[in-house]
């Protein structure tokens, strides 16, 4: 298969990923915000994850930025990187994910693969997103199209641990698709990949990762308050405590 990748959502997760894939593949970046597309086509990235030179490098590689759904219709791998916020009751708001699935479903074709990177609880990909894809496309899951999951691991603002330098968890809806998804990411992730046994296992791994990160951040914040009272610089403490001179950011990233 001649892999042509459409990245859906050009925020701090999708844009660096699209840039990384554009080095080796034909890539289109899709976002519903026309102002975002206009700025990217001018070499401007408001997420600050890419420099102007990197945005222009993507364009030079042939990458297209668009808000026109018709322009992603000829692609065969769709990677959804939209946010999953929480509502006022602290429940996951899956609206962006569902809306993105509806958009992809409108252009989905036989043998296409849809990979989700959005942070979700176990079961969302197959129990929420797949039915939307089936309804919008009229195609049958695991017969006409397939799905994968690879949770994002971007730490916003971290210029050291960029997308290609963090080990990536991958999964697919069949063993064959799982291998294809893993090989796709392996082709750009220099840190390597970990192929999970199922999409739900990969989704659950992201839950653990986020929990660990939140606990670490909360702990560091509490310690920082104590150290501040004692007149001690927290960053200096972290540098002293971290192995091999690991930075504060790296302590908060899996």
């Amino acid at each position: 298969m001649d892999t042509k990748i459409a990245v859906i959502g050009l925020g701090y997760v999708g844009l660096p990923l699209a840039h990384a894939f554009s080095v080796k593949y034909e890539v289109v970046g899709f976002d519903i915000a026309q102002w975002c597309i206009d700025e990217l086509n001018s070499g401007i990235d408001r997420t600050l994850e890419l420099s102007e030179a990197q945005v222009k490098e993507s364009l030079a590689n042939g990458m297209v930025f668009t808000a026109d759904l018709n322009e992603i219709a000829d692609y065969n791998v769709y990677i959804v990187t939209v946010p999953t916020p929480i509502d006022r009751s602290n429940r996951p708001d899956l609206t962006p994910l569902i809306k993105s699935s509806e958009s992809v479903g409108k252009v989905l074709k036989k043998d296409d693969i849809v990979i989700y990177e959005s942070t979700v609880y176990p079961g969302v990909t197959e129990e929420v997103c797949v039915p939307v894809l089936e309804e919008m496309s009229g195609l049958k899951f695991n017969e006409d199209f397939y799905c994968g999951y690879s949770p994002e691991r971007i730490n916003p603002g971290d210029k050291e641990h960029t997308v290609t330098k963090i080990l990536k968890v991958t999964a697919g809806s069949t063993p064959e698709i799982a291998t294809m998804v893993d090989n796709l990411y392996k082709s750009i992730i220099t840190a390597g990949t970990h192929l999970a046994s199922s999409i739900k296992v990969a989704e659950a791994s992201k839950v653990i990762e986020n929990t660990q990160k939140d606990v670490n951040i909360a702990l560091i914040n509490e310690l920082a308050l104590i150290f501040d009272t004692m007149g001690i610089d927290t960053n200096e403490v972290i540098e002293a405590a971290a192995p091999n001179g690991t930075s504060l950011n790296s302590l908060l990233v899996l």
Side-chain angles (χ1 to χ4, degrees):
M1 179 179 69
D2 184 17
T3 303
K4 299 172 63 176
I5 302 170
V7 177
I8 314 301
L10 299 176
Y12 74 87
V13 174
L15 188 57
L17 184 69
H19 171 262
F21 274 122
S22 73
V23 175
K24 292 190 175 184
Y25 302 96
E26 182 177 342
V27 177
V28 60
F30 176 86
D31 199 288
I32 60 174
Q34 185 62 55
W35 62 265
C36 173
I37 299 303
D38 293 340
E39 289 189 345
L40 288 170
N41 281 323
S42 299
I44 301 172
D45 167 29
R46 283 187 181 268
T47 71
L48 302 180
E49 292 300 319
L50 296 184
S51 65
E52 182 177 343
Q54 288 175 310
V55 176
K56 291 183 176 179
E57 179 186 20
S58 296
L59 292 168
N61 288 337
M63 183 170 163
V64 176
F65 296 114
T66 184
D68 184 352
L69 202 58
N70 293 321
E71 292 194 40
I72 70 173
D74 291 334
Y75 290 73
N76 48 31
V77 175
Y78 297 92
I79 303 180
V80 179
T81 63
V82 298
T84 47
I86 57 175
D87 61 21
R88 292 181 178 179
S89 301
N90 291 325
R91 295 174 300 188
D93 181 1
L94 301 180
T95 302
L97 202 56
I98 292 171
K99 292 294 185 183
S100 296
S101 297
E102 289 175 348
S103 296
V104 172
K106 292 177 182 178
V107 297
L108 199 61
K109 306 170 300 300
K110 185 171 176 58
D111 297 327
D112 285 353
I113 302 173
V114 184
I115 303 170
Y116 290 90
E117 288 216 2
S118 303
T119 300
V120 296
Y121 55 84
V124 168
T125 299
E126 292 159 298
E127 297 166 15
V128 176
C129 298
V130 165
V132 174
L133 293 172
E134 288 185 318
E135 180 181 359
M136 298 303 297
S137 67
L139 300 176
K140 185 69 174 176
F141 178 52
N142 277 345
E143 292 182 14
D144 300 318
F145 74 92
Y146 306 88
C147 282
Y149 185 75
S150 182
E152 61 88 2
R153 284 188 148 181
I154 295 292
N155 192 37
D158 189 342
K159 302 302 181 183
E160 180 181 355
H161 303 90
T162 53
V163 61
T164 61
K165 298 177 182 178
I166 303 174
L167 188 139
K168 204 82 160 69
V169 175
T170 64
S173 56
T174 71
E176 294 77 17
I177 295 302
T179 299
M180 290 178 63
V181 171
D182 189 63
N183 287 337
L184 179 65
Y185 280 95
K186 194 178 293 183
S187 69
I188 65 163
I189 304 296
T190 57
T193 62
H194 174 83
L195 179 56
S197 60
S198 70
I199 287 176
K200 286 184 179 179
V201 167
E203 291 170 327
S205 75
K206 182 59 176 174
V207 174
I208 291 179
E209 178 180 335
N210 278 15
T211 300
Q212 180 181 6
K213 183 185 294 186
D214 289 344
V215 169
N216 282 346
I217 292 173
L219 175 60
I220 293 298
N221 285 340
E222 289 297 318
L223 289 173
L225 291 173
I226 296 172
F227 295 149
D228 184 62
T229 301
M230 300 173 67
I232 300 173
D233 188 308
T234 302
N235 286 325
E236 291 185 8
V237 175
I238 293 298
E239 293 301 320
N244 302 320
T246 305
S247 68
L248 174 61
N249 269 340
S250 65
L251 287 180
L252 305 179
V253 179
L254 272 179

